[in-house]
Amino acid sequence: MNAEQKATLINQCLEKVAEAGVYVASITFDGAPVNIATSKKLGCKFDGDEIQSRFKHPTMATDVDIFFDPCHMLKLVRNCLGEKGCLVDGEDNLILWRFIEQLHDFQQKEQFHLANTLRSQHVNFRTQKMKVKLASQVFSKSVADALEFVKDQISLPQFHDAAATIKFIRIFDMLFDVLNSRNMLQVDYKKPISASNYEKVNNFLTEADQYIISIKTSRVNSSSILRSSRATGFLGFRICVRSLRNLFQKLISTENPRLRYLPMYKISQDHIELFFSSIRAHGGYNNNPSVRQFKSAYKKMLVHVQLKDNFRGNCIPLEHVTVLNNLSPIHNINLSTPRRRVLDVNPELTADQDAFDHDYLLKLGDLTEASSYIITYIAGYVVFYLQKRICCEECLNSLVSVTRDLDIFALIKVKDRGGLQYPSKDVIDVCSRAERILKPFIISSDKKFGLTLNFLEGSLLKSYLGNPIFSSLDEHILDQPAMDNHKNYLIKAIGHRYFNVRLYYLGKESVNQANSERHKNNKLTLFKGQ
């Protein structure tokens, strides 16, 4: 359909839902050129520095705001930087994609990760352009922290000029957080906009808007990115900023507010994507269902035969949103009241049952300066894990450092938001020695067979025969059996958790198919096949 046909259908739809008593506050598009043209047909203006991102409702005395789906916009910004390779900010500093590639290469060489999820599929994204996760994980706080760490703390020369790229990543990460907010229990920019935090968020939105305006395609012609052929992603974020302010003014900042806060995730296209995924799932994940297949699947949903969310579609379900059906209970849905989250910690969990989600290591490497920082970071997690399972007060005190001013804690300080643990020197020593014990078995492939946790833990305990460790527990173990004292148990517990972490992710990486062509071939079959 062309823009005029789409605009006519949208107006007709707005009239119909208004007759049913539905108040429409906004409409969300993706970044297709026909959708931009449709918005202009409806009455929006996107030319120049001033943006009008709303149009008059055809039958009601209200305005309808336009949003360009933030997920699609983030992918377009990533694609622009990844394919052009270089952008220029307002201070004439270069924003370079190669810094992200160099960070990945550095982590591959070190065979550790600086507490981020950057992998080869994030750098070589061109065969998986539709995956929002890859774009959001590149433009994330963890990647910006890692770049800043190797630039300032380790002082690698290849990252000397990465400051502009770090700022670029941080601004789009926070902008995406604002436009993807869901839960009032979140903090900072992930928290939905309300009257209490609007001033702070609005100041950032102003800064981000001016930053996007200042971005240029190159130093040579000084042409704004908003006037280039790759402007859609950047323009889309500016439109979202303007529409977000409009929504706040008409839904919250009024005498009779309709909402107490704005959960911006509700205006994203994720819900329709998940609906389409459920339709496809009914036909065996058929990407092109016929009219009859679509009607059959939709009728089942209407009579409350809900199809479960899946994690293999274009987006991952972040909330459970049911399809409106004829058995839906009639009640008022209040988006203003946040749900309370209860944290249930089960002390009975074994090591194998524990879900550890810190994905920051790949393969083994030498204990270089960067490796030592990362091992210390993992040691902090080991302390956090053991604190929930050890009851002895003296042993617990020996796990935590009395000072946080040591240089070895540099990575922990970068990542700390108030909840990370600072391990003692003894814990760091045990984890470092465990890494050295594990290393030869990973490097030499013929030694991998028969490698067990019991063998590794036994080797770790043997390495401390005659070597001082946990000297603060020397008096504590006098009344305990020589082979069953708390010091031995503590070394074994630290080693057990550290080896579990390392072996789990080494195994995960060994089966990782980072360069899978499945997604690319699927699109070729759908759109270029006969």
Side-chain angles (χ1 to χ4, degrees):
M1 291 188 292
N2 59 36
E4 188 171 352
Q5 292 170 328
K6 278 195 171 186
T8 302
L9 285 176
I10 289 173
N11 280 324
Q12 290 178 358
C13 187
L14 289 173
E15 292 173 5
K16 293 293 185 182
V17 296
E19 292 174 4
V22 176
Y23 172 74
V24 177
S26 67
I27 298 176
T28 303
F29 293 126
D30 59 20
V34 67
N35 292 333
I36 299 177
T38 300
S39 303
K40 293 179 179 179
K41 287 283 185 182
L42 291 169
C44 300
K45 296 180 181 179
F46 305 142
D47 300 325
D49 293 338
E50 293 298 324
I51 290 177
Q52 181 180 331
S53 61
R54 53 169 50 175
F55 65 93
K56 294 292 182 182
H57 194 286
T59 59
M60 299 176 65
T62 59
D63 294 324
V64 180
D65 287 284
I66 293 292
F67 282 91
F68 282 7
D69 185 38
C71 295
H72 286 81
M73 298 305 105
L74 193 70
K75 288 189 295 184
L76 291 175
V77 171
R78 187 274 316 270
N79 295 348
C80 176
L81 181 60
E83 293 174 7
K84 292 181 73 66
C86 175
L87 296 173
V88 182
D89 65 12
E91 298 176 355
D92 212 33
N93 297 318
L94 295 180
I95 304 164
L96 300 174
W97 177 259
R98 68 174 171 84
F99 287 126
I100 296 173
E101 296 176 331
Q102 288 173 353
L103 177 62
H104 172 65
D105 294 339
F106 171 75
Q107 293 183 148
Q108 289 289 94
K109 181 181 178 180
E110 288 290 328
Q111 299 173 340
F112 270 110
H113 268 140
L114 290 162
N116 60 72
T117 56
L118 196 64
R119 300 292 187 272
S120 57
Q121 59 263 42
H122 295 87
V123 176
N124 305 313
F125 63 88
R126 291 160 185 83
T127 58
Q128 303 178 74
K129 284 187 177 181
M130 293 296 291
K131 289 189 176 181
V132 180
K133 179 176 72 172
L134 299 183
S136 62
Q137 289 175 342
V138 168
F139 293 153
S140 64
K141 187 175 181 62
S142 62
V143 171
D145 288 342
L147 284 172
E148 195 167 53
F149 185 78
V150 295
K151 171 183 174 292
D152 297 333
Q153 184 65 35
I154 306 180
S155 301
L156 296 179
Q158 63 266 37
F159 296 98
H160 177 70
D161 299 322
T165 306
I166 294 171
K167 182 179 179 181
F168 182 87
I169 293 173
R170 289 196 189 281
I171 285 181
F172 280 98
D173 169 58
M174 292 188 291
L175 198 52
F176 185 68
D177 285 344
V178 171
L179 297 170
N180 198 43
S181 58
R182 298 184 301 278
N183 195 326
M184 286 296 286
L185 297 175
Q186 291 287 357
V187 295
D188 291 334
Y189 296 108
K190 291 185 178 181
K191 187 174 183 178
I193 295 180
S194 62
S196 61
N197 67 346
Y198 176 72
E199 184 177 357
K200 174 186 175 182
V201 175
N202 187 49
N203 290 337
F204 165 70
L205 293 178
T206 301
E207 176 190 349
D209 189 50
Q210 293 300 317
Y211 180 78
I212 293 173
I213 293 174
S214 70
I215 296 176
K216 299 174 289 187
T217 55
S218 67
R219 284 175 172 173
V220 178
N221 53 20
S222 299
S223 176
S224 172
I225 191 68
L226 296 172
R227 295 183 178 87
S228 70
S229 59
R230 310 302 296 267
T232 305
F234 301 90
L235 176 64
F237 274 114
R238 292 199 66 209
I239 293 169
C240 288
V241 167
R242 185 61 55 89
S243 296
L244 176 54
R245 287 169 171 160
N246 294 340
L247 278 189
F248 179 83
Q249 296 299 327
K250 66 183 179 183
L251 296 181
I252 296 179
S253 183
T254 60
E255 293 183 1
N256 298 311
R258 293 176 181 266
L259 296 173
R260 286 173 50 199
Y261 64 93
L262 283 176
M264 295 305 296
Y265 178 67
K266 300 294 185 183
I267 61 98
S268 73
Q269 284 193 173
D270 281 15
H271 313 294
I272 194 94
E273 295 274 11
L274 295 171
F275 170 71
F276 288 157
S277 181
S278 296
I279 293 290
R280 290 195 300 269
H282 178 72
Y285 288 96
N286 178 13
N287 286 308
N288 295 297
S290 65
V291 175
R292 180 175 293 181
Q293 289 172 325
F294 177 87
K295 289 173 68 176
S296 174
Y298 189 45
K299 284 178 180 178
K300 287 189 176 183
M301 292 183 180
L302 289 177
V303 294
H304 211 202
V305 182
Q306 292 286 342
L307 299 178
K308 293 183 179 180
D309 293 332
N310 68 86
F311 292 84
R312 295 188 294 275
N314 287 340
C315 63
I316 297 174
L318 301 178
E319 296 179 345
H320 178 65
V321 181
T322 59
V323 177
L324 186 64
N325 52 72
N326 65 338
L327 297 181
S328 298
I330 299 174
H331 62 279
N332 294 325
I333 301 175
N334 186 5
L335 299 178
S336 304
T337 304
R339 296 180 180 177
R340 295 186 178 274
R341 181 174 60 183
V342 179
L343 181 62
D344 183 16
V345 179
N346 184 3
E348 307 261 331
L349 283 178
T350 64
D352 293 334
Q353 293 171 319
D354 182 66
F356 176 59
D357 61 353
H358 290 65
D359 192 6
Y360 40 65
L361 47 92
L362 278 174
K363 301 176 184 176
L364 284 168
D366 297 329
L367 299 189
T368 60
E369 181 183 9
S371 298
S372 299
Y373 288 129
I374 298 170
I375 290 172
T376 303
Y377 186 63
I378 300 175
Y381 162 73
V382 173
V383 171
F384 173 78
Y385 177 87
L386 294 179
Q387 282 178 331
K388 298 179 180 180
R389 292 158 174 81
I390 294 178
C391 299
C392 178
E393 286 293 331
E394 293 190 44
C395 292
L396 284 174
N397 293 334
S398 68
L399 296 177
V400 183
S401 175
V402 295
T403 178
R404 299 187 175 187
D405 297 330
L406 302 178
D407 292 337
I408 198 65
F409 295 144
L411 181 59
I412 297 180
K413 290 179 180 178
V414 170
K415 302 297 296 182
D416 192 12
R417 307 290 181 263
L420 296 185
Q421 296 295 332
Y422 290 73
S424 65
K425 290 183 178 180
D426 293 318
V427 177
I428 297 173
D429 184 85
V430 174
C431 291
S432 299
R433 188 166 297 203
E435 182 69 25
R436 292 187 177 95
I437 291 172
L438 185 59
K439 176 182 175 181
F441 296 97
I442 305 302
I443 295 176
S444 179
S445 59
D446 59 337
K447 293 183 179 181
K448 292 181 184 178
F449 301 102
L451 186 63
T452 63
L453 271 175
N454 288 336
F455 174 79
L456 292 171
E457 292 165 11
S459 300
L460 181 62
L461 284 171
K462 288 179 183 178
S463 69
Y464 279 104
L465 290 176
N467 295 321
I469 190 71
F470 291 110
S471 57
S472 61
L473 300 179
D474 288 344
E475 295 184 7
H476 176 59
I477 64 173
L478 291 179
D479 298 329
Q480 300 164 6
M483 298 305 297
D484 294 326
N485 60 62
H486 286 190
K487 187 181 292 188
N488 289 342
Y489 283 133
L490 205 56
I491 295 172
K492 187 175 181 180
I494 295 170
H496 181 83
R497 180 83 298 234
Y498 186 87
F499 287 132
N500 259 285
V501 171
R502 293 295 278 141
L503 292 177
Y504 174 80
Y505 282 101
L506 289 169
K508 181 179 178 181
E509 179 61 20
S510 67
V511 298
N512 181 31
Q513 298 179 355
N515 297 317
S516 173
E517 295 290 321
R518 178 181 177 276
H519 185 80
K520 178 181 177 181
N521 293 337
N522 182 47
K523 296 303 177 185
L524 285 174
T525 303
L526 289 176
F527 301 113
K528 293 187 179 181
Q530 298 296 328

